[in-house]
Amino acid sequence: MQSDIADRYRLLGAPHNMTFPSSTTAETDADAVDTVAAAAGSSVAIVGRSPGQLMWRRFRRDRTGVIAAVVVLAFILIALLAPVISWAYGKNPDDYYGLNQPGLLNEYGYPILPNGGISGDFWFGLEPLVGRDVLTQLIYGIRTSITIALIVTVLSTVIGVTLGITSGYVGGKVDYAIGRVIDTLLSFPSQLFLIVLVPVVDAALVLPTQEPPTWLRFVSICIVLTVLGWATTARLLRAQVLSLREREFIESARVTGASPARIIFKELMPNLWTPIIIQATLALPLYVGAEAGLGFLGVGMPEAIPDWGRMFLVGSNVYHSDVTYLMFPGVSMLIFVIAFNLLGDSIRDAFDPKTKR
Amino acid sequence: MTSFLVRRVVGALVILIFISLITFYLFYAVPRDPARAFCGKICPPETLELVRHNLGMDKPLFVQYWLWLSAIFVGRDFTQFGPCPAPCLGYSFATQEPVFNAIVDRFPVTLSLTLGASVVILSFGILTGMLAAWKVGQPLDKIASSSSVIGASLQIYFVGPLVVFLLVDTLGLLPRPSYVPFTEDPLTWFVHLLIPWVVLSIIFTANYTRMTRSQMLEQLAEDYVRTARAKGMSGRSVFFRFAWRGAMIPIITIFGVDLATLLGGAIITEQTFTLHGIGELAVRAVQNTDLPMLLGVTVVGAAAIVILNIVVDVLYAFIDPRVRLN
């Protein structure tokens, strides 16, 4: 609280901050003005700000968070622009350059040039044995990772939030049933289940005699990660709702005859956004790692789709002779996951300055 | 204490039966045709019928589950493979060996790996965490905090090969990771598993440093610490004799929860260093669509975690008597 007040005083000098609240945020702004007026107890001109604005303001002051956000955005941009980049660079992730052009790979299938065949033509070198271009593999691989991680984060958050709120709000038998499912899911050896379930879901979608389509693994991985992922969010939300349900403002809403829908969406939800967003930012890098882990264990994306996990698999087979190849997916993923974790920490701090880490 | 134990064991049994039921259903009912998975891509219809009959897949699903479950206690006779004495988890589709024997053969590898890693995680994590709390705000504390972020972001399948490349291939300091039975030669066992232990614990240790640090700081703010100080106890004694006991209780709880993740990490570690443990068994079973093996490994894995969680709970109840009342 104290830092917030100091923040407001400091920013009072900046004219572009002296905007008036828009009509959509007027209600919460009025609150903010009240608190500030009471706390500051001075006659300085006071600017009302919504909780969202306050959060954004706190976030911008956190230098680590801003740098992390820039790095994460850069990764997303590279993923989006992968076709443009590979067009400008003149290579694609699918061609076996090393096999088609003589003089790139030696008789054992390793790049002839040192450091994994890094050269003016192949900036990040060549994949051993088949001779695909590493740079384009890498930037198309970001797409696979981020797409899967995003889809799974959204799905598991939606399912977790829905079931968590239902369980906490309705209570009774529903709560007991959902609670037992959550307990069971969380006591599963989930990583073991992850690898084991992917082929099972494959087999559920397609007959063993059919040729598996390329989208199959994508769908299976998303389903499995979601099924094993929602329980943590649900348990968190259930606990939050259980404690909020007994508070006076919910009680008064109920007494004044508010419908359950209104209580959930208008009274509970505004208090739940913070834990939901924090949980989602914590989960996303885990899903990036899990997806790559599946690829590493050989149950990831098929050969036709560039994937970081498979790059790790290839890299761990060839590192005795060509350690450079492993460095590219390894370092890229390390940077991405660190940046995302730091971003998550900063978002948590910005939303909830009281929590100490 | 007895009623606490009984309650926990009954609860664990219920969860285990639940897990095995779900797993069984997933593996035998969700795939369109498990017998075909056994029989392979080119499978004449009469062979398929035979396989289906021999594996009991022509019976209703619940009967199949009952046969599978009772086989664990009384054994079962498969026409195709011959008798399977209790505890029987069926025969592998791929290697035709009894699933239970395969798991027992591989068990020491995974046990050595996870036990050793646990020792590294707990000793190193708690030690660095306590040092960070002891020197709070000083460089040591800052290094511990920032390395915990990096440690938690590292991947076993990246660090593992890198460490082997550096320490084994380039510098030749340690032998290539492999498994030598402890009973055969404890020293070789230790030296060959050193790299896997360290790599598996890297991702966890940082987290324990962070938790121990914050728990210690919390304990140091408690009343009993202030009382001890006021009565003239030295800062060092309060820190190393009093406060750390209180800090350990939540750490043990979280370690119980982390055991499942540790087992998952063991799968990836085994694959990274080609150690032939249960995780590697599971991965190979996945590649061969070996349903009985998958079912066996999953249920045994779940059982191990549930049992270990009971052990942790009992330990917890010993340390903190308040637990038993709930």
Side-chain angles (χ1 to χ4, degrees), chain A residues 63-73 338-344 346:
Chain A
R63 198 186 304 156
T64 324
V66 173
I67 295 172
V70 170
V71 174
V72 169
L73 282 180
I338 288 182
F340 214 99
N341 280 334
L342 289 175
L343 178 67
S346 297

Side-chain angles (χ1 to χ4, degrees), chain A residues 180-181 183-184 186-193 195-197 199-201 203-212 285 288-293 296-299 312 315-316 319-323 326-331 333-334 337-338 341-342 345 348 356-357, chain B residues 15 18-19 22-23 26-27 30-33 36-37 41 149-150 152-155 157-158 160-162 164-165 169 176 210 213-214 218 257 260-265 267-268 271-273 278-279 282-283 286-287 289 291 294-295 297-299 301-302 305-306 309:
Chain A
R180 291 294 78 73
V181 175
D183 279 354
T184 314
L186 290 180
S187 64
F188 271 179
S190 61
Q191 264 144 322
L192 182 58
F193 246 73
I195 10 169
V196 161
L197 274 185
V200 171
V201 177
L205 297 173
V206 178
L207 274 176
T209 42
Q210 284 171 309
E211 195 53 44
V288 171
E291 193 270 330
F296 171 72
L297 294 174
V299 279
F312 283 115
S316 70
Y319 71 93
H320 297 297
S321 323
D322 179 10
V323 79
L326 183 65
M327 296 306 285
F328 288 108
V331 173
M333 189 143 142
L334 185 61
V337 174
I338 288 182
N341 280 334
L342 289 175
D345 283 350
R348 184 171 13 177
K356 33 172 207 217
R357 275 187 281 118
Chain B
I15 281 197
F18 208 47
I19 288 181
I22 294 173
T23 323
L26 279 174
F27 288 164
V30 173
R32 299 249 183 101
D33 202 340
R36 195 180 285 276
K41 277 211 161 125
V149 176
I150 299 173
S153 308
L154 282 171
Q155 308 292 337
Y157 39 77
F158 174 51
L162 224 55
V164 171
F165 181 77
D169 293 355
R176 195 165 297 288
R210 198 147 100 164
R213 177 182 175 276
S214 64
E218 219 161 87
V257 179
T261 328
L262 194 61
L263 187 76
I267 299 174
I268 292 194
Q271 198 69 12
T272 307
F273 299 111
I278 291 177
V283 172
V286 167
Q287 282 153 1
T289 333
L291 294 175
L294 285 178
L295 186 59
V297 170
T298 325
V299 171
I305 285 166
V306 169
N309 271 321

